Amino acid sequence: MPQKDMTVGKTRRHLLRGITDTNLLMSITIIVFILMYLYAIFGLGEGFLKAQTFFNMLNANAALIILACGMTLVMITGGIDISVGGMTALVSMSSAVFLDKHSGSVAGAMLISLGIGLAFGLIQGFLVAYLDIQPFIVTLAGMFFARGMTTIVNPDQFNVQNESFVKLKETRIIIPGMGWVNKRGVYIDAYIEIGVIVALIIVAALFLFLKWTKTGRNFYAVGGNKQSALMLGINVKRTTFLAYLMCGILGGIGGFVYFMHVGSGSPSHATGAEMNAIASSIIGGTMLTGGVGNIVGTLFGVLSLALIQNIVSSVGLDDAWWTGITNASMLCIFLIVQSIIIAQRKKANLSASKSVVTKGVKK
């Protein structure tokens, strides 16, 4: 029996070593999300059984999914971008003013949003990658600049009345067979907003980009060890610049998706969005030290934060600070789990390397 137990233990360790850090941390996030959702279904009533409850989480957080995806890209390369919240507010206000006060078109507003995101990505990427300025300082300045420019564009909140935009905002994509019957016996269709489709397409595209393209693999190499990446012939500065450029463009897209959801411009829009994006990436398995991360994990990180908010509200803790406390607790738990797992795997890999060296010496 002891021999059998040792064999099983070795097999398990071998299987764990065969799983990358990225996939292991992502798997933990998905499992935790499923367990939380099962608790919500069986412990908090039938509301969570409705498919629309899940779709509402996607509807409310489509923009955050896009912003968190951009954050994941720069975090994989070992960087950070805390300007995405201010960028979202600037995109929303600029689009709102263009549509309502200048009788602009929806297509024009989209171009403005992409232009803002592109400008932030180009400037911040250049400063971080080619001038070697600390990314926190660069993006902190970007955040202050974006918030200030939002107030300059228009200091007051207002709802957009542009007919074309309102029609786009109110467009719903019906999900057949996923509706429910209300108390009056009326069947209600389940739906998602256009922003959800945009977010899911971006998640799929970035997943394929990181997994199957040489540039995507370079992101991990640069985040893991810049010196090793240089020795492998990777252009570290160009890769870092590209990560910030893509984050900026995604910030512009995410800002417009946010704008489509709220339908207004305000200097206070997306306050704290950058922190939520960072938290979602970390919960999804992205390491702050770089080199480890997964877009699918980030998606489930966003959904986990949204689910926590729904659970906290369902148990009657509607005060905002309870959600903050719960999110902070979950973030700390995931950071501890990440540290333990990575430390254990490094220890296991070191032991395996020593074993190989010892066998070689004996031979």
Side-chain angles (χ1 to χ4, degrees):
M1 286 295 292
Q3 183 66 31
K4 183 178 179 181
D5 291 340
M6 289 176 64
T7 303
V8 172
K10 288 180 179 179
T11 303
R12 288 175 178 173
R13 287 194 294 271
H14 178 73
L15 289 173
L16 284 176
R17 283 199 296 268
I19 303 175
T20 64
D21 294 339
T22 295
N23 290 335
L24 179 59
L25 294 174
M26 178 191 69
S27 300
I28 292 172
T29 302
I30 295 174
I31 291 170
V32 170
F33 173 78
I34 292 172
L35 291 176
M36 287 195 303
Y37 212 96
L38 289 174
Y39 163 75
I41 289 173
F42 294 108
L44 299 176
E46 299 180 356
F48 287 92
L49 281 172
K50 295 179 182 178
Q52 189 60 47
T53 301
F54 178 76
F55 294 146
N56 284 340
M57 290 196 300
L58 289 172
N59 291 333
N61 293 279
L64 181 57
I65 291 172
I66 299 171
L67 298 178
C69 284
M71 188 69 71
T72 298
L73 293 178
V74 295
M75 287 176 66
I76 286 174
T77 61
I80 198 79
D81 187 347
I82 60 173
S83 68
V84 293
M87 198 189 312
T88 300
L90 179 58
V91 166
S92 297
M93 182 63 82
S94 299
S95 298
V97 170
F98 176 72
L99 288 169
D100 256 24
K101 299 186 182 302
H102 298 281
S103 302
S105 64
V106 173
M110 290 180 180
L111 289 176
I112 289 173
S113 302
L114 285 174
I116 291 173
L118 181 63
F120 271 82
L122 286 171
I123 295 172
Q124 293 183 158
F126 177 79
L127 293 175
V128 172
Y130 292 102
L131 298 187
D132 202 25
I133 304 176
Q134 284 292 326
F136 180 83
I137 300 301
V138 171
T139 57
L140 179 66
M143 180 185 72
F144 288 144
F145 177 81
R147 289 291 176 186
M149 283 300 300
T150 302
T151 305
I152 290 175
V153 172
N154 194 69
D156 302 315
Q157 179 177 348
F158 68 96
N159 294 323
V160 177
Q161 304 298 326
N162 183 284
E163 292 184 3
S164 298
F165 173 76
V166 171
K167 184 178 179 180
L168 178 66
K169 177 182 179 298
E170 294 178 351
T171 299
R172 300 290 183 264
I173 300 171
I174 304 301
I175 309 298
M178 303 293 284
W180 74 99
V181 179
N182 64 12
K183 295 180 180 179
R184 297 181 180 179
V186 179
Y187 181 80
I188 307 296
D189 288 314
Y191 69 90
I192 55 175
E193 297 176 1
I194 294 177
V196 175
I197 301 298
V198 176
L200 294 180
I201 290 174
I202 287 174
V203 168
L206 291 179
F207 173 79
L208 295 175
F209 168 77
L210 289 173
K211 187 174 180 63
W212 298 109
T213 68
K214 181 180 178 181
T215 305
R217 292 191 294 271
N218 288 349
F219 278 26
Y220 289 102
V222 170
N225 191 310
K226 289 185 178 181
Q227 292 302 320
S228 297
L230 282 170
M231 293 175 65
L232 290 171
I234 296 173
N235 190 325
V236 172
K237 290 185 177 182
R238 185 175 63 191
T239 303
T240 303
F241 174 78
L242 181 60
Y244 281 91
L245 177 63
M246 293 177 68
C247 184
I249 293 172
L250 289 172
I253 296 172
F256 192 81
V257 168
Y258 180 91
F259 176 55
M260 283 199 300
H261 181 69
V262 298
S264 63
S266 173
S268 63
H269 273 341
T271 301
E274 57 281 337
M275 297 298 109
N276 288 333
I278 294 170
S280 299
S281 296
I282 293 173
I283 292 172
T286 305
M287 298 289 290
L288 283 169
T289 52
V292 177
N294 190 289
I295 293 297
V296 175
T298 298
L299 169 63
F300 278 93
V302 173
L303 293 176
S304 296
L305 290 181
L307 181 58
I308 287 174
Q309 185 174 355
N310 285 357
I311 291 174
V312 169
S313 298
S314 297
V315 298
L317 302 175
D318 293 325
D319 296 314
W321 61 76
W322 283 113
T323 301
I325 291 172
T326 310
N327 289 345
S329 301
M330 186 174 184
L331 183 59
C332 289
I333 291 171
F334 269 88
L335 284 171
I336 293 171
V337 169
Q338 285 183 7
S339 299
I340 292 173
I341 289 174
I342 298 302
Q344 290 296 321
R345 287 170 68 85
K346 285 183 178 178
K347 184 178 179 181
N349 291 335
L350 182 61
S351 298
S353 299
K354 287 182 178 179
S355 177
V356 171
V357 171
T358 303
K359 288 180 181 179
V361 171
K362 288 181 179 180
K363 288 181 180 180

